[in-house]
Amino acid sequence: MVDKSKITTIKIDKETKVRLDKLRIHHKESYDEVLQKILYILNLCKSGSGEARARLLAIDKAKKLNSIKEIKKTI
């Protein structure tokens, strides 16, 4: 359960929201989870690690798998 005393509201541009939506792996994934992924990958990039690219590729693969599952549900 989420501690509501730790939740805040932020204003973002509609285009930013669209971009965040594109980074979601699943439609139930929260924006907080998406932003945490972004920050994690940013920190990997700062360390010069190739792990950041691997993480981005893993996210793309998971998105594709979820898309295929959603399509199969509608068939």
Side-chain angles (χ1 to χ4, degrees):
M1 183 161 188
V2 177
D3 180 1
K4 292 189 179 199
S5 68
K6 293 185 177 185
I7 295 177
T8 186
T9 302
I10 61 172
K11 293 181 180 183
I12 59 172
D13 186 79
K14 287 183 181 187
E15 179 61 29
T16 302
K17 182 189 175 299
V18 169
R19 292 176 71 191
L20 287 172
D21 286 338
K22 290 179 183 177
L23 293 173
R24 294 166 88 182
I25 291 175
H26 192 272
H27 71 278
K28 291 184 179 181
E29 187 174 24
S30 71
Y31 291 112
D32 183 65
E33 291 170 315
V34 173
L35 291 168
Q36 285 186 35
K37 279 193 300 192
I38 292 168
L39 294 171
Y40 175 74
I41 293 168
L42 177 64
N43 286 331
L44 289 175
C45 290
K46 286 182 181 179
S47 70
S49 168
E51 189 178 343
R53 180 169 170 69
R55 182 70 178 144
L56 289 170
L57 292 172
I59 290 169
D60 283 343
K61 184 177 179 180
K63 282 178 60 175
K64 287 177 186 174
L65 289 174
N66 281 334
S67 294
I68 291 169
K69 287 177 187 176
E70 291 297 319
I71 290 169
K72 286 182 179 179
K73 284 181 185 178
T74 61
I75 295 175

